[in-house]
Amino acid sequence: MSRQYLQVMTIAGSDSDGSAGMQADMHTFFTRGVYGVSVLTACVAGNSYEIGARVTLPTDFIDKEFELIAKDYQVRAAKTGMLADATLIETVAKKYQLYDFGPLVVDPVIVTKHGNLLLEEEALESLKTKLLPLATVLTPNFYEAEKLTNRQLNTEADYVLAAQDLQAMGAKNILIKGEHTTGSTQETIKDYVLLESGHSFWLEAPFYKTERINGTGDSLSACIAAELAKGTSVEEAIRIAKKYVNRAIQKEIIVGHKYGPINHWATIGEIE
């Protein structure tokens, strides 16, 4: 008997080395047992050392992607990734509201670990006003949370205030990923979660001293989306996603030379 797979959508850019962006999302969807469809927004030319070029896709093409997916697929949840400028953000926000694609996980991709800016400065306001209010879950990293809230996150109290700021912008549930610096002496990493209900908690995990962490944020948000599509609660989806990326970082694979990808295959059958 044929099996009907739950369908989840990524709205993101393509990373040519396969370690991040849409490719990392698809790896995650596959290993979490859901079928992935995509709205491609941009393409990045790069490898494990650097990003060399990028292009954004025409908005009429993106419109058509949304239209044709909605005609055929029953998308139960979606996530966003790289949206490079205000036009892309506004296009995606507008189109997402036209269709029933389920809960939305927003990964506000702003700066890469290479130091490349992936979101134009003038697009920040569009991100805050157009996309964040649609987010069921918002997953900024440490630097993105600082950028979005104009706060410095020096203490746990700063994380709490930043999450409240982001919730005030309209995002329902907030996961702020803690700061980590390759080569540092830190032994753990702590993320802060503020739920729509007001319940909050910290997630603490070992800090793995490795540069093979490309695609971590993409995979975390994709895993949350996959779990939401299954009907998992937001809190449990976040907890599962945290375990998922921790395992994928812990069990390294050697692909590329510098910022290598995480190991999605290490999670199969191990994360529930």
Side-chain angles (χ1 to χ4, degrees), residues 6-170:
L6 294 172
Q7 293 136 48
V8 184
M9 182 166 71
T10 172
I11 308 166
S14 168
D15 193 315
S16 64
D17 74 359
S19 68
M22 180 194 68
Q23 287 86 343
D25 294 339
M26 289 298 191
H27 291 326
T28 304
F29 293 158
F30 177 81
T31 54
R32 295 310 298 162
V34 297
Y35 183 83
V37 297
S38 63
V39 169
L40 190 62
T41 60
C43 295
V44 172
N47 55 32
S48 68
Y49 289 114
E50 63 180 332
I51 290 175
R54 72 180 189 190
V55 295
T56 57
L57 296 183
T59 56
D60 58 349
F61 181 84
I62 294 171
D63 291 346
K64 187 59 69 173
E65 290 182 281
F66 272 103
E67 177 189 335
L68 293 179
I69 287 173
K71 277 184 178 181
D72 191 21
Y73 296 93
Q74 295 181 329
V75 175
R76 302 293 184 88
K79 62 144 293 184
T80 64
M82 179 182 171
L83 303 175
D85 56 40
T87 300
L88 279 181
I89 291 169
E90 291 169 15
T91 296
V92 167
K94 179 180 178 181
K95 287 297 176 180
Y96 192 83
Q97 294 176 87
L98 287 180
Y99 307 106
D100 181 12
F101 289 136
L104 180 66
V105 181
V106 173
D107 181 9
V109 179
I110 298 173
V111 181
T112 74
K113 63 183 61 63
H114 301 298
N116 296 87
L117 188 68
L118 290 180
L119 183 68
E120 296 175 356
E121 289 285 348
E122 56 268 30
L124 275 175
E125 193 61 29
S126 293
L127 178 65
K128 292 178 183 179
T129 60
K130 302 294 185 181
L131 196 60
L132 263 60
L134 303 180
T136 303
V137 184
L138 179 68
T139 64
N141 63 31
F142 172 87
Y143 303 102
E144 290 160 347
E146 287 193 329
K147 192 81 170 175
L148 288 167
T149 63
N150 292 316
R151 288 185 182 274
Q152 288 190 328
L153 304 187
N154 297 318
T155 67
E156 290 188 356
D158 294 331
Y159 279 76
V160 173
L161 292 173
Q164 291 172 350
D165 289 346
L166 293 169
Q167 209 169 56
M169 294 177 195

Side-chain angles (χ1 to χ4, degrees), residues 232-245:
T232 306
S233 71
V234 170
E235 178 174 347
E236 187 61 19
I238 290 172
R239 292 185 183 276
I240 289 171
K242 180 65 175 178
K243 292 178 184 177
Y244 179 90
V245 297

Side-chain angles (χ1 to χ4, degrees), residues 162-191:
Q164 291 172 350
D165 289 346
L166 293 169
Q167 209 169 56
M169 294 177 195
K172 296 180 177 65
N173 302 279
I174 314 297
L175 165 60
I176 299 178
K177 293 167 279 186
E179 184 180 20
H180 55 85
T181 305
T182 301
S184 73
T185 59
Q186 73 182 100
E187 296 183 353
T188 61
I189 184 167
K190 294 178 69 174
D191 304 333

